[in-house]
Amino acid sequence: MEEVRIYRSVLRKEFFGGLFCMACSIYIVICLAHGDGRLLPLLLICGPVNLWMLYEVFSERFKHPYITISNDRVIVNGKQGKYEIAFAEVRSFEIEKLRIWGYKYNSSNITVRLVNGRGFVKVIDAYNLTMPPKQLCDLLNERLSMTS
C-alpha cells in the first residue's frame, strides 16, 4: 500500500495577518516615495516581520509532512521533534473525548493505546490538518487492521 502524507493546513488568520503586513508595508513605501520620511522606522520594523510571517506560513505547509502513514508505522513531525509509532505496538487509535460540565465533546487529539496495556504512548494533534480528525483516525485504524 502507498504512503500517505498529511500536511498542516495554512491558517487563515496567519495568512491574512501576513497579507495585512504586506499591505501596510506597501502603503509605507508609497508614503516614502511621496516624501514623507517619518514612516521609515515603521517600514524597517514591518518589512522583516512581514517576511518572517510569510516564511513561517509557507514553510510549515510545504516543507515536511506533519504525519506520514506507511504500511507498518506512523511518523509524526511535531514541534517537539520527530517520533514513530509502530503498528505492532498499537491496540487502537481513538479520538480523545473531553468532558466539560457533564457533556462529552470530541477533541482534535488522537490518542494511541498500546497492546500491552501501558496506557497512552503519544497524543497526535490532529488540529488544522488537510484531513479531518475522524477521517484520519479511521484511516489509522484501517491500516492497523491490515497489519494484524
Side-chain angles (χ1 to χ4, degrees):
M1 198 166 265
E2 69 207 37
E3 190 174 79
V4 177
R5 294 173 183 228
I6 301 169
Y7 294 89
R8 287 235 181 247
S9 182
V10 175
L11 289 174
R12 287 190 183 113
K13 67 177 182 174
E14 291 174 349
F15 179 73
F16 287 120
L19 205 60
F20 177 74
C21 282
M22 181 73 78
C24 289
S25 297
I26 290 171
Y27 173 74
I28 292 169
V29 167
I30 290 171
C31 288
L32 287 173
H34 290 287
D36 190 5
R38 294 177 292 164
L39 297 176
L40 182 63
L42 190 58
L43 177 66
L44 294 175
I45 293 171
C46 279
V49 168
N50 180 29
L51 291 176
W52 177 76
M53 280 183 78
L54 289 176
Y55 170 76
E56 284 293 317
V57 166
F58 291 112
S59 70
E60 178 74 29
R61 172 65 175 96
F62 296 113
K63 201 181 224 182
H64 301 290
Y66 176 65
I67 298 174
T68 305
I69 304 170
S70 62
N71 290 336
D72 61 341
R73 70 187 67 244
V74 178
I75 302 169
V76 181
N77 290 320
K79 295 242 183 218
Q80 293 81 16
K82 184 176 182 178
Y83 59 90
E84 295 183 6
I85 302 170
F87 285 139
E89 300 173 356
V90 175
R91 183 174 60 196
S92 67
F93 294 95
E94 300 171 359
I95 293 181
E96 192 175 68
K97 303 271 190 211
L98 295 177
R99 182 176 280 276
I100 301 174
W101 293 339
Y103 296 102
K104 288 185 179 177
Y105 296 100
N106 288 338
S107 76
S108 61
N109 293 333
I110 296 175
T111 57
V112 182
R113 293 191 186 269
L114 293 179
V115 173
N116 58 8
R118 288 185 298 179
F120 306 119
V121 64
K122 291 286 183 184
V123 175
I124 301 172
D125 179 26
Y127 175 72
N128 197 33
L129 297 178
T130 55
M131 181 182 287
K134 175 77 173 127
Q135 187 179 356
L136 175 62
C137 190
D138 291 342
L139 176 67
L140 288 169
N141 282 321
E142 178 185 323
R143 289 283 176 108
L144 180 62
S145 66
M146 288 180 174
T147 58
S148 356

